[in-house]
Amino acid sequence: MKAWRLENFGLDNLKQVEVEKPKIEANQILIKVNSVSLNYRDTAIVDGVYTPDLLEFPFIPVSDASGEVVEVGSDVSKFKKGDRVTSHMFTKWLEGKPKSDEQLHALGATVDGGLSEYMVLNEDATVFTPDILSDIQASTLPVAAFVVWFSLVEYGSIKAGDRVLVQGTGGVSIFAIQIASALGAEVIATSSSDEKLEKAKALGASKVINYKTHPDWENEVQKLTNGNGVEHIVEVVGGSSIAKSIEALAYQGNIYVIGFLENMVAEVNLFSLLAKQAKIHGVNVGHHRAFEDFTRALDQLNIEPVIDTIYSFDQAKEAYKHQAKGAFGKIVVDFNK
Amino acid sequence: MKAWRLENFGLDNLKQVEVEKPKIEANQILIKVNSVSLNYRDTAIVDGVYTPDLLEFPFIPVSDASGEVVEVGSDVSKFKKGDRVTSHMFTKWLEGKPKSDEQLHALGATVDGGLSEYMVLNEDATVFTPDILSDIQASTLPVAAFVVWFSLVEYGSIKAGDRVLVQGTGGVSIFAIQIASALGAEVIATSSSDEKLEKAKALGASKVINYKTHPDWENEVQKLTNGNGVEHIVEVVGGSSIAKSIEALAYQGNIYVIGFLENMVAEVNLFSLLAKQAKIHGVNVGHHRAFEDFTRALDQLNIEPVIDTIYSFDQAKEAYKHQAKGAFGKIVVDFNK
Amino acid sequence: MKAWRLENFGLDNLKQVEVEKPKIEANQILIKVNSVSLNYRDTAIVDGVYTPDLLEFPFIPVSDASGEVVEVGSDVSKFKKGDRVTSHMFTKWLEGKPKSDEQLHALGATVDGGLSEYMVLNEDATVFTPDILSDIQASTLPVAAFVVWFSLVEYGSIKAGDRVLVQGTGGVSIFAIQIASALGAEVIATSSSDEKLEKAKALGASKVINYKTHPDWENEVQKLTNGNGVEHIVEVVGGSSIAKSIEALAYQGNIYVIGFLENMVAEVNLFSLLAKQAKIHGVNVGHHRAFEDFTRALDQLNIEPVIDTIYSFDQAKEAYKHQAKGAFGKIVVDFNK
Amino acid sequence: MKAWRLENFGLDNLKQVEVEKPKIEANQILIKVNSVSLNYRDTAIVDGVYTPDLLEFPFIPVSDASGEVVEVGSDVSKFKKGDRVTSHMFTKWLEGKPKSDEQLHALGATVDGGLSEYMVLNEDATVFTPDILSDIQASTLPVAAFVVWFSLVEYGSIKAGDRVLVQGTGGVSIFAIQIASALGAEVIATSSSDEKLEKAKALGASKVINYKTHPDWENEVQKLTNGNGVEHIVEVVGGSSIAKSIEALAYQGNIYVIGFLENMVAEVNLFSLLAKQAKIHGVNVGHHRAFEDFTRALDQLNIEPVIDTIYSFDQAKEAYKHQAKGAFGKIVVDFNK
């Protein structure tokens, strides 16, 4: 079968090769992959900045994949040939707190990922693709969309009527706008571009702040919420942004640290933290049970993933380059294009 | 001012009288009432079957009221003249578990209710009326709608994608269909009337069961959920229905006992209960903090209260009679009609 | 190896036989069993009243076993030869809500149990035996003690200072007294025997009620708690007891239905249930993660399992007979006696 | 009556004066104070570093007080003359998340505190003193002990068997050792003094680390927990300590930021934070309902507050000076000395 393999760090070492179709064990399924999507994580892996010590070359990259079951192991009871399925990144993290080694098994990193014609998944590292989504759409879910659900639902126990601040309009943030508003929250979105803020409104944001014209956006948030602040902040910026995020919170509000575009080190004023009784959660995607919950919920919620550009299998490198530059929505590789 | 007062048990003893406009204390507000709605509870109070020992005649009945603030006490900081407000029934239950006497203070029972031109409310027994609702619509919320929110959100921590079974199409059940589906749940509704089931679908139910043609509706529920069962049941029937409800549940599913139309005594098979690991919750409306959450959420959710008939102030007795007969949706008394 | 096997319903069909030592799979361990304990469940299985339809004869009964690891499968990473381990009854229920078939795999029923010299366990159906307990003591934990922990900690989120009512002095109830008081709760115990109530006090009960002299024990409970009631009731009686239990509760208190000595059908007054906002939980032991939590906690808590009588392997039938009669504390079979 | 009043920032401006005995309102009680204890907060208020903008001179300082009820307002139902009571610092924060102004009403700061013969408390800013504690002991609870309970129980839902790291041996940390071990946790304590570590062991710590000889104490914690890390860290150091605390955590472990002895600004490595899925909670004491829970629990738990030195009323300034220098346990002012 055809596959892209990373043979060493650097995009030059991403090579299209012909390899043997993988074999499945009793509790596994074989997928014919139809679509994968890229995340910041995927470019960070290629660049050698994300868990480089754990990687063993060569391996097939990319964690997010959707496709069709073509073969099932003898112990598999949940799936059958022909089922439409989507991958779950942490292949051994089923539920609850991760146990010692459950975070070490990650698709597209320590376990072969989805950038190949066929892909092996553990039965319990797989979910049914939501009926209302195409494979192209569903392949955008496992990291960027699910991390938002896991933050808001599992950590934050979000309730309809809560207020959610979303920073910027990257892949995670767009999903945050869509998911939070579908869950009945009031969403405030920030961006440096009025044009993108208009799009954010169309996707569900009730209120928007241009942080270029309002560098003190934390005060704007307090104004827009009548001095209450927001219960939830999807934090993807890091660095000095966290200090402002604390100021924008409601009492006992939650900051979900998902990324750190600006700076990996944040200076946190502890007095502000405790005066606000703020909670900061480090979020690293989530477990299989919650991913099942999320994908099942999508059949009820009206969320259409925003896709920036679709590339063909042969254009995988172009897809990586686009992902590295940034996009409004997700970068997808459609194997049938 | 004009008021309806209950002078003894029985609807004949509901009398329209002229009384003095009430005076407020420092932490209270005076409301010009525009609309009230009736609940099963209101007819049960008149009939002497609901907490008759706690009542002292005469008193002004009806707990659910919406109107406009016309005067505020000296310590009131949250409301000002002209604000649109709605009443909260348990006037002293602010948050958490009820303390000893917090359940004894109930509007329209031990505390004068809303069936009069003016009404006194404690500042912290009042919420802002949602912007998107009229006073007529908002007056339907405090008991019938809120008890559903309190069950699903506070007790059940409902998540989008959960499955909810709603029995029948009374006032509480219709709100259950609307609220659960607005929260992203998949709703299964039951009724003995195909016509009402069609209406239930229009209001948000995904699936319906006619329990006349399917007296074993618990099996139908299992079929419609691929043998999973439902995570939540809004139980308003009681009696022998509870046994069937347990069978219709998913593992660790929740039954919220809100009413008991059929029979106040339920025979519960304990073996089924523990095999299913079921949870049965007795629900008695809810506390003020959650009612604030709910009414704030309504500005984000797209829920239009279903009103069966609107009566004028002078027609209050007709309204009570209609409520006693049953209705599809709520019975309202519009003071400006 | 020597084993007891149940060849059909009835204690006469419990036969000591010589069978082949079982073989393990890659994710399993082989245990040399040192001790097992009996539960109500074990006699109910023999009598054909507990899930008889699921059983396939012959099988090795008894779920609760402690022993030593003598062999580990190739994929096992958590245990090694020589480790002291204890069994977890629901061999596939790892965490969270049980999934469709996870309740079907139960040691001593659908899966061979511990009443044999050697026993096979899945790696993730096993816990380390607490250092401070002997194998004889540890073999009393998996059902009778753990179901109490699961009720109070997982369902009830018990806090130090809460009040817990424990009914009677059977195996589960004695553990309930010990565990609840070790967790900082105030325990009220009931019994028909003043002598047993004295023992209950010695085990941690703060207050006791003789229900023979106080058949209205629910009122006594309210008196002993200054009209507050108790937050938790470990309900093992069933039948008409549940109605009294509701009266003995604090607002939003919890009843954990674990057994039903008196009657499998309970008449529940729904008005009381909702006025008290009571929660009734059906409890069916618990999952592996919580059993790990519990056994780890035992190294900190000062709980010594109460053992009524210890039988030898050859006396297994006598042990069953004693269990059926009732005991103060646990009935154990010590394989080294 | 005699009182100490702070007339401006600086200990020189703490003056003993004769003032009128305060009058109570309908919902208040008058206390004859028997004992107060000092916290870091009290010296910080005098030094003008803790919420200086909110203070209005002169006022009576000190939040933690125990005494006897000598007069009750007309609406007071919970307390009567002669009851032994203890103060709750945030006088308006009753339960749940703090509302807008509930954090502005603090005893010994914006509301007159306990350093006077008589003191006024709102009925719902008061708890019963635990029977098993003297007034001197009970006066140590409201801030230093309660903040630990609120962190571990309310935020952290601590379970017996959890592992807790406690830094140092100041007033909060000693209570953390005692409370966590009384709740069944395994406690690891750190200090720069082997002598203090011995005392920590006597108070309940299972394991200890001298951070002078082990400046990489975070690695020691991982070793002592077999690479699991701790579920809870009571963080009172701040500054660079937080980075180490994250390394010492178990997956999804909690850091409760209660103080910042070293530095008010912490540099947090966001990659570590999210890889560990850590939760950082800013804690600012707690609400009245939880303080009631805590004080009720103390009747079951075996905790004897550690008191370093007891001063007389006239020696209040000496007490402040001692508090500023640091102590092993609490500094108390006994009004009857």
Side-chain angles (χ1 to χ4, degrees), chain A residues 149 153-154 159-163 182-186 206 231 289 293 296-297 300-301, chain B residues 149 153-154 159-163 182-186 206 231 289 293 296-297 300-301:
Chain A
W149 169 276
V153 173
E154 292 286 324
K159 288 196 295 247
D162 281 0
R163 285 153 287 219
L183 296 177
E186 183 184 335
S206 304
E231 284 82 11
R289 194 265 301 150
D293 289 348
R296 201 175 68 206
Q300 305 300 320
L301 303 172
Chain B
W149 170 276
V153 173
E154 292 286 325
K159 288 194 297 245
D162 282 359
R163 286 152 286 219
L183 296 176
E186 183 184 335
S206 304
E231 283 82 10
R289 193 265 301 150
D293 289 349
R296 200 175 69 205
Q300 305 300 320
L301 304 172

Side-chain angles (χ1 to χ4, degrees), chain A residues 139-334:
Chain A
S139 72
T140 66
L141 303 174
V143 168
F146 176 44
V147 74
V148 171
W149 169 276
F150 200 77
S151 298
L152 294 174
V153 173
E154 292 286 324
Y155 285 121
S157 299
I158 192 172
K159 288 196 295 247
D162 281 0
R163 285 153 287 219
V164 178
L165 179 70
V166 176
Q167 302 174 327
T169 53
V172 168
S173 298
I174 287 177
F175 271 125
I177 295 170
Q178 293 179 297
I179 293 171
S181 72
L183 296 177
E186 183 184 335
V187 177
I188 303 177
T190 69
S191 171
S192 61
S193 147
D194 284 342
E195 192 196 332
K196 287 183 179 170
L197 289 174
E198 281 312 303
K199 289 186 189 169
K201 276 187 181 175
L203 292 167
S206 304
K207 294 165 183 169
V208 296
I209 301 171
N210 187 321
Y211 61 79
K212 222 179 195 168
T213 54
H214 290 287
D216 61 336
W217 52 264
E218 69 276 24
N219 299 329
E220 280 300 301
V221 171
Q222 288 290 348
K223 266 187 233 164
L224 291 174
T225 58
N226 299 315
N228 179 83
V230 296
E231 284 82 11
H232 311 271
I233 298 181
V234 178
E235 174 71 53
V236 295
V237 177
S240 62
S241 167
I242 303 251
K244 287 168 172 281
S245 288
I246 293 174
E247 299 301 323
L249 278 185
Y251 279 121
Q252 297 190 358
N254 301 279
I255 297 174
Y256 311 102
V257 177
I258 293 174
F260 29 77
L261 293 176
E262 188 194 286
N263 194 331
M264 203 186 280
V265 175
E267 295 208 340
V268 175
N269 182 304
L270 298 179
F271 185 79
S272 301
L273 184 86
L274 63 79
K276 195 56 81 66
Q277 304 179 26
K279 302 178 202 173
I280 303 179
H281 307 258
V283 185
N284 193 8
V285 196
H287 54 54
H288 182 257
R289 194 265 301 150
F291 192 40
E292 278 193 323
D293 289 348
F294 172 48
T295 46
R296 201 175 68 206
L298 285 172
D299 278 329
Q300 305 300 320
L301 303 172
N302 198 15
I303 293 176
E304 189 172 348
V306 175
I307 294 170
D308 182 301
T309 307
I310 298 176
Y311 292 89
S312 69
F313 185 79
D314 290 340
Q315 293 170 312
K317 283 192 178 187
E318 281 70 40
Y320 267 88
K321 285 175 193 160
H322 192 160
Q323 171 67 22
K325 272 193 321 193
F328 189 91
K330 298 287 293 175
I331 301 300
V332 169
V333 176
D334 174 8

Side-chain angles (χ1 to χ4, degrees), chain B residues 22 30-31 48 117 124 223 236 248 259 291:
Chain B
L30 188 69
I31 316 291
E117 280 184 283
D124 50 16
K223 265 186 233 164
V236 295
F291 192 39

Side-chain angles (χ1 to χ4, degrees), chain C residues 4-306:
Chain C
W4 286 92
R5 275 203 320 206
L6 194 64
E7 303 189 339
N8 208 330
F9 296 120
L11 197 52
D12 289 348
N13 294 309
L14 183 65
K15 301 275 173 66
Q16 196 180 140
V17 293
E18 196 75 24
V19 294
E20 253 186 277
K21 208 160 104 176
K23 287 191 173 44
I24 57 174
E25 295 178 19
N27 65 338
Q28 294 186 317
I29 58 182
L30 188 70
I31 316 291
K32 191 188 164 312
V33 181
N34 286 322
S35 180
V36 302
S37 84
L38 296 185
N39 293 291
Y40 168 78
R41 177 182 177 276
D42 294 303
T43 58
I45 284 172
V46 169
D47 295 347
V49 301
Y50 187 80
T51 61
D53 302 343
L54 299 176
L55 304 176
E56 288 182 35
F57 296 106
F59 63 89
I60 299 169
V62 181
S63 56
D64 294 14
S66 289
E68 185 187 329
V69 177
V70 291
E71 199 187 327
V72 302
S74 54
D75 288 354
V76 169
S77 60
K78 196 173 140 202
F79 300 102
K80 61 180 193 308
K81 267 179 75 167
D83 283 343
R84 296 178 61 224
V85 296
T86 295
S87 60
H88 174 243
M89 188 183 82
F90 283 124
T91 57
K92 301 231 170 175
W93 186 19
L94 302 183
E95 182 151 16
K97 301 182 184 178
K99 283 167 211 77
S100 52
D101 66 342
E102 292 180 351
Q103 298 271 309
L104 303 182
H105 303 266
L107 286 178
T110 52
V111 180
D112 273 339
L115 204 51
S116 63
E117 282 184 280
Y118 294 92
M119 177 189 196
V120 170
L121 288 174
N122 295 348
E123 176 179 32
D124 50 14
T126 314
V127 303
F128 287 106
T129 297
D131 286 344
I132 60 163
L133 298 185
S134 68
D135 281 15
I136 287 176
Q137 292 175 315
S139 72
T140 66
L141 303 173
V143 168
F146 176 44
V147 73
V148 171
W149 170 277
F150 200 77
S151 298
L152 295 173
V153 173
E154 292 287 324
Y155 285 121
S157 300
I158 192 173
K159 286 194 298 243
D162 282 359
R163 285 152 288 218
V164 178
L165 179 71
V166 175
Q167 302 173 328
T169 54
V172 168
S173 297
I174 287 178
F175 272 125
I177 294 170
Q178 294 179 296
I179 293 170
S181 73
L183 297 177
E186 183 185 336
V187 176
I188 303 176
T190 69
S191 172
S192 61
S193 147
D194 284 342
E195 192 196 332
K196 287 183 180 170
L197 289 174
E198 281 312 303
K199 289 186 189 169
K201 275 187 181 173
L203 292 167
S206 305
K207 295 166 182 168
V208 297
I209 301 171
N210 187 319
Y211 63 78
K212 224 179 193 167
T213 54
H214 289 288
D216 62 335
W217 52 264
E218 69 277 22
N219 298 330
E220 279 300 299
V221 172
Q222 288 291 347
K223 266 187 232 162
L224 291 174
T225 57
N226 300 316
N228 180 82
V230 296
E231 283 83 10
H232 311 271
I233 297 181
V234 177
E235 173 72 53
V236 295
V237 178
S240 62
S241 167
I242 303 249
K244 287 168 173 282
S245 288
I246 293 173
E247 298 302 323
L249 278 186
Y251 280 121
Q252 297 189 356
N254 300 280
I255 296 173
Y256 310 103
V257 177
I258 293 173
F260 29 77
L261 293 175
E262 188 195 286
N263 194 331
M264 203 186 280
V265 174
E267 294 208 341
V268 175
N269 181 304
L270 298 179
F271 185 79
S272 301
L273 183 86
L274 62 80
K276 196 58 80 66
Q277 303 179 26
K279 301 179 205 175
I280 302 178
H281 307 258
V283 185
N284 193 7
V285 199
H287 53 55
H288 182 257
R289 193 264 302 150
F291 192 41
E292 279 194 322
D293 290 349
F294 173 48
T295 46
R296 201 176 67 205
L298 286 171
D299 279 328
Q300 304 300 319
L301 304 172
N302 198 15
I303 294 176
E304 190 172 346
V306 175

